[in-house]
Structure formats: structure tokens, C-alpha cells
Amino acid sequence: MKNKGKGGKNRRRGKNDKDESSKRELIFKEEGQEYAQVVKMLGNGRLEASCFDGVNRLAQIRGSMRKKIWINQGDIILVSLREYQDSKGDVIQKYNPEEARLLKQYGELPENFNLEEGENLNSEGENDDGVEFEFEIDDI
């Protein structure tokens, strides 16, 4: 008898289960935890995060999130603070942009915080990458 299916369990690995991740319960911070925005990915499961209490911390992505949830620069995360090391923490949760907007509405995130992930926009709304030239393009 011949198999009529299309592959085995390796074929199913690529499928995304969008239903369970899109409607999950919003997790708020507790004592010993802080919201943060990812500043820089360092590799090897580590990242630099700017916490909303004003401290930059080195954060480690926990093992169960490591290869399942991808974290990028500018993402909003929940960091568990270490009692014995204030400059380090562990990533507990990654919030998608919709959840981050809800956190801002509930007053959990600061009002002056910009939700545009990692983009530096100046007052005219143009993308400002911090490079300035002494001449105008018309002078050339």
C-alpha cells in the first residue's frame, strides 16, 4: 500500500498556529519585574534592554523562549530583575505591537514612550539616523 500523505512530522514543523498566539491573556508586571525595550541584540541569547525605570540592563532570553520566540530590536519585553545583580535580568515575555498599545492605554508604559519600534523620528517626521552633513545636496 502506498502513502497518500504529504510528508511526515517534519512537514508540520513550519506551520504557524496563529490562533493561540493572537488572543492570549495580557501579562502585567509584578514585583521584581520591569517593562523594557530592546536596544541591541548581542547574540548567544543575550540582549541589551532599556528598562522603563531608567536603567540599561543586560538581559538573558530564558530557555523556553530561545528558539520559539524571536526578539528583535525595538520590541517591548518583560524583564525579571535579579536580586543579586541590578545590571542584569531575564526576559520572561515578549509583547507584540497590539499588546504594547494596550499596555500604554492601561498606563503601564510611560506616556512619553514612542511605540514606533526602533525608529528615530525627528520633529518633521523624517527618519533621523544621527548623521549630519555640512553641505546641502543642492550645493554639489
Side-chain angles (χ1 to χ4, degrees), residues 108-127:
E108 294 286 320
L109 300 181
E111 286 298 317
N112 58 3
F113 168 66
N114 188 10
L115 277 176
E116 306 303 322
E117 265 86 274
E119 291 182 19
N120 295 327
L121 297 177
N122 58 17
S123 58
E124 288 89 38
E126 300 170 7
N127 196 356

Side-chain angles (χ1 to χ4, degrees), residues 55-74:
V55 181
N56 273 19
R57 290 188 171 89
L58 185 70
Q60 182 91 27
I61 301 173
R62 69 183 177 137
S64 61
M65 292 177 67
R66 233 182 198 167
K67 296 218 183 216
K68 297 177 183 74
I69 298 170
W70 294 103
I71 298 177
N72 297 316
Q73 187 173 340

Side-chain angles (χ1 to χ4, degrees), residues 57-120:
R57 290 188 171 89
L58 185 70
Q60 182 91 27
I61 301 173
R62 69 183 177 137
S64 61
M65 292 177 67
R66 233 182 198 167
K67 296 218 183 216
K68 297 177 183 74
I69 298 170
W70 294 103
I71 298 177
N72 297 316
Q73 187 173 340
D75 286 345
I76 305 301
I77 56 175
L78 182 62
V79 176
S80 172
L81 306 178
R82 296 181 181 176
E83 295 175 7
Y84 51 93
Q85 290 175 309
D86 190 45
S87 63
K88 292 186 179 179
D90 302 291
V91 178
I92 299 175
Q93 174 85 23
K94 175 194 169 190
Y95 296 106
N96 59 32
E98 183 181 332
E99 291 171 333
R101 269 193 293 281
L102 285 172
L103 284 173
K104 192 170 182 181
Q105 282 179 2
Y106 294 145
E108 294 286 320
L109 300 181
E111 286 298 317
N112 58 3
F113 168 66
N114 188 10
L115 277 176
E116 306 303 322
E117 265 86 274
E119 291 182 19
N120 295 327

